[in-house]
Amino acid sequence: MIDRRDFLKGCLACGVTAASIGVAGKNAFAAGSFEGYPDSMGVLVDLTRCVGCRSCEAACNDEQNLPDPDLPFDDKSVFKEQRRTTDKAYTVVNKYEVANKDTLFRKMQCNHCNEPACLTSCFVNAYTKTKEGAVIYNSKVCVGCRNCMIACPFNIPAYSYSSPTNPMVKKCIFCYETRVKNGRPPACVEICPQQVMTFGHRADLIKMGHDRITSNPAKYVDKLYGEKEVGGTSWMYLSSVDFDKVGLDNHMQNEPIISNVKDFLGTVPMVLSIWPALFTGIHLLATKNKGGHGDHDHEEGDEQ
Amino acid sequence: MRAVKRQMIMAVTGAMLMLVSSVCFGSGIPDEITINSIQKYYSGVNFNHAAHINNLKDCGLCHHHTTGAQVSDPNCARCHKNSGAQAVVSCKGCHSATPFTPEALKLQRDQQPPLYHKDQVGLKGAYHLGCVGCHEKMQGPTGCQDCHKRNESGDKIFHSGSYAPKTTDTPKSSHH
Ligand code: SF4
Ligand code: SF4
């Protein structure tokens, strides 16, 4: 009962917040194809340089005050399987054996999309794209609906269920609060011994990426991954092998994910305004019919 | 009078340049170099310069065009085939220990000529990309602690050594 009441209270509060944010946020997307903020920062990741030392994972854990890992960060046994980001690890390094090529490693984390699907899919507007390019979120607003988890083309947002009544999104925030906001590079970038990651203005990094390919065409495949994918991302990649071989979808659409759901989004403001009423109605019905304990999860799922 | 002055200045500069280059190429080549400008999580490295010179012979492999040796990289050779020895040859003389500060980013952006120097790696990157890259090819040591021992704060951040996670559930150590 408590859970449900909290959830509803949350919905009401969020509906109000979202409705007001919705008005302010509208302009950002009104332009149609949004090329990213002009001063957006970014990171150029050169996969040919990574040696899989996992220092970046260690630095992230420290910087973001994440829980202790199950294994030390110098333990290479983690490479036996493909890992994904979790609420306890905002970045993970995976190993890829590529036929006729050396082993490659790829660090994965949020790519900080120019037009983030997580942001556009979030009906309470928990996400913000900052002018520096970081995609951050307000976990106080998050209701744990997991829309963003499904929407993200890179499978990044994870959930913390440590509090059953308040599950919240957890993901890389580009070290926004502690570093990028103040013009400093993220912790992973700074610790990396191989300078796999180059921090800089996104526009400069695009040039730099192409220059690296041009000056060493035998070394790189002719593609800067993230320049165009899903409308462009702040984190971009260079590789010596097809991106498919290192776990990045090589056929990702160039249009932002928002285009797929534009029709849906058109209905969002209305949904937002009637949402609390809707939930109250369902709640009343459920209480009436089932005498209290309804299947909350199912209810919630149906609405998404 | 002016011309004489200018000549004198040129002569003095020339003499100084010769002095610098003789330091670089004469007995001035250090046999051992302590690499310790960045040692947050690892101890410094006592680098055996002499052994590497004996093994490789080619200064340009690490120092690019700066020692006046023939450059092997064709991209560098475009401009530096005959550019001679430079006053600065040490890694940290060019590669910045803080390559991503707003000032450093601006410097790189405005680099003239805007060619290969623009994408210059930082000091830590220069060391590791150079050392590890070559060690991989020549079967040299490549493990982190093969070259520099991790220190206490390194163990801490890696949750390793005495900071390794316990198998039983213990509360998080309060190092944050
Ligand atoms: S710190 Fe750098 S080299 Fe090490 S695993 Fe991370 S990206 Fe790769
Ligand atoms: S990578 Fe996923 S989580 Fe990160 S900004 Fe893009 S859609 Fe959002």
Side-chain angles (χ1 to χ4, degrees):
Chain A
M1 273 309 276
I2 298 285
D3 290 11
R4 178 198 298 254
R5 199 169 295 141
D6 279 352
F7 178 69
L8 287 170
K9 254 197 290 184
C11 271
L12 274 166
C14 294
V16 174
T17 328
S20 52
I21 294 172
V23 176
K26 223 171 201 161
N27 294 334
F29 297 102
S33 92
F34 173 64
E35 293 276 300
Y37 293 104
D39 291 330
S40 175
M41 304 303 287
V43 172
L44 176 63
V45 186
D46 191 328
L47 298 181
T48 66
R49 292 180 180 178
C50 182
V51 292
C53 71
R54 301 186 62 211
S55 304
C56 46
E57 290 187 43
C60 177
N61 175 279
D62 184 57
E63 181 76 15
Q64 299 297 331
N65 286 311
L66 297 174
D68 281 358
D70 296 335
L71 293 169
F73 285 112
D74 55 3
D75 192 321
K76 303 284 163 73
S77 68
V78 296
F79 291 135
K80 274 186 283 197
E81 51 188 63
Q82 295 287 316
R83 296 174 298 152
R84 61 150 291 168
T85 48
T86 70
D87 58 326
K88 297 184 184 73
Y90 299 167
T91 184
V92 290
V93 181
N94 280 322
K95 184 179 179 178
Y96 301 88
E97 307 277 4
V98 182
N100 307 323
K101 283 273 182 181
D102 293 335
T103 304
L104 271 97
F105 296 91
R106 181 173 64 89
K107 169 192 186 297
M108 79 186 268
Q109 75 297 305
C110 172
N111 286 325
H112 300 277
C113 307
N114 287 348
E115 294 190 61
C118 55
L119 184 152
T120 49
S121 72
C122 178
F123 72 94
V124 294
N125 276 343
Y127 286 92
T128 309
K129 173 84 174 167
T130 75
K131 68 176 192 322
E132 297 86 352
V135 176
I136 57 171
Y137 54 90
N138 180 353
S139 49
K140 290 202 189 85
V141 176
C142 172
V143 293
C145 74
R146 293 191 277 182
N147 267 357
C148 56
M149 220 170 156
I150 296 157
C152 172
F154 302 107
N155 208 13
I156 295 302
Y159 272 84
S160 166
Y161 295 100
S162 42
S163 158
T165 51
N166 185 25
M168 56 180 176
V169 64
K170 294 265 187 181
K171 72 162 193 75
C172 158
I173 54 162
F174 211 162
C175 288
Y176 180 70
E177 295 297 341
T178 49
R179 289 164 164 269
V180 168
K181 192 165 77 178
N182 309 314
R184 290 174 62 216
C188 53
V189 171
E190 197 168 273
I191 202 171
C192 177
Q194 294 280 100
Q195 200 168 313
V196 169
M197 295 157 275
T198 304
F199 175 73
H201 294 275
R202 186 174 184 271
D204 294 346
L205 295 177
I206 291 173
K207 276 202 217 97
M208 188 183 275
H210 285 295
D211 284 350
R212 264 190 220 175
I213 296 170
T214 325
S215 54
N216 216 331
K219 186 175 178 183
Y220 298 104
V221 293
D222 189 9
K223 179 173 184 156
L224 176 60
Y225 193 98
E227 181 187 2
K228 304 257 168 64
E229 280 70 17
V230 292
T233 54
S234 284
W235 283 58
M236 297 171 288
Y237 300 81
L238 287 175
S239 172
S240 54
V241 299
D242 256 4
F243 287 97
D244 281 331
K245 301 212 166 73
V246 288
L248 283 167
D249 184 353
N250 218 357
H251 302 286
M252 192 76 85
Q253 64 186 47
N254 285 347
E255 295 73 39
I257 305 289
I258 186 181
S259 313
N260 302 351
V261 289
K262 246 175 199 151
D263 292 342
F264 161 73
L265 280 177
T267 68
V268 167
M270 186 202 67
V271 173
L272 282 180
S273 49
I274 63 164
W275 208 286
L278 211 65
F279 269 103
T280 315
I282 291 166
H283 171 68
L284 288 174
L285 272 174
T287 328
K288 196 179 167 196
N289 293 346
K290 295 174 192 162
H293 287 76
D295 44 348
H296 163 106
D297 282 341
H298 185 67
E299 224 175 78
E300 188 189 343
D302 271 351
E303 292 313 303
Q304 303 320 315
Chain B
M1 202 51 204
R2 265 234 184 98
V4 174
K5 219 179 194 172
R6 200 183 296 147
Q7 268 177 1
M8 271 175 67
I9 292 175
M10 274 167 72
V12 170
T13 322
M16 273 165 65
L17 274 174
M18 271 166 66
L19 214 82
V20 169
S21 46
S22 73
V23 166
C24 296
F25 302 109
S27 53
I29 301 179
D31 284 341
E32 183 147 318
I33 298 167
T34 309
I35 301 173
N36 61 0
S37 54
I38 30 173
Q39 39 176 336
K40 204 169 169 191
Y41 303 119
Y42 294 88
S43 58
V45 177
N46 292 320
F47 175 68
N48 191 337
H49 197 214
H52 283 82
I53 295 171
N54 280 337
N55 277 339
L56 300 173
K57 307 284 188 309
D58 179 1
C59 303
L61 285 176
C62 298
H63 291 282
H64 319 293
H65 61 88
T66 59
T67 59
Q70 188 77 45
V71 275
S72 40
D73 188 325
N75 283 332
C76 307
R78 291 172 199 221
C79 298
H80 295 294
K81 202 163 181 190
N82 301 306
S83 65
Q86 309 290 306
V88 176
V89 293
S90 71
C91 307
K92 63 172 179 242
C94 292
H95 295 276
S96 165
T98 51
F100 302 124
T101 59
E103 300 75 44
L105 292 183
K106 198 181 169 316
L107 245 165
Q108 286 240 356
R109 183 188 250 180
D110 302 341
Q111 186 82 49
Q112 292 298 333
L115 281 168
Y116 301 102
H117 290 203
K118 203 170 187 178
D119 187 7
Q120 188 190 67
V121 289
L123 185 58
K124 186 164 53 175
Y127 287 142
H128 289 95
L129 287 167
C131 299
V132 181
C134 196
H135 281 198
E136 271 173 353
K137 278 191 220 127
M138 306 190 71
Q139 263 101 54
T142 52
C144 306
Q145 301 206 61
D146 293 346
C147 290
H148 42 37
K149 245 196 100 38
R150 203 165 52 211
N151 62 24
E152 169 110 19
S153 30
D155 280 354
K156 217 174 193 172
I157 196 170
F158 274 87
H159 291 262
S160 196
S162 54
Y163 293 89
K166 308 280 178 293
T167 31
T168 50
D169 269 340
T170 42
K172 190 178 164 90
S173 56
S174 57
H175 67 267
H176 286 304

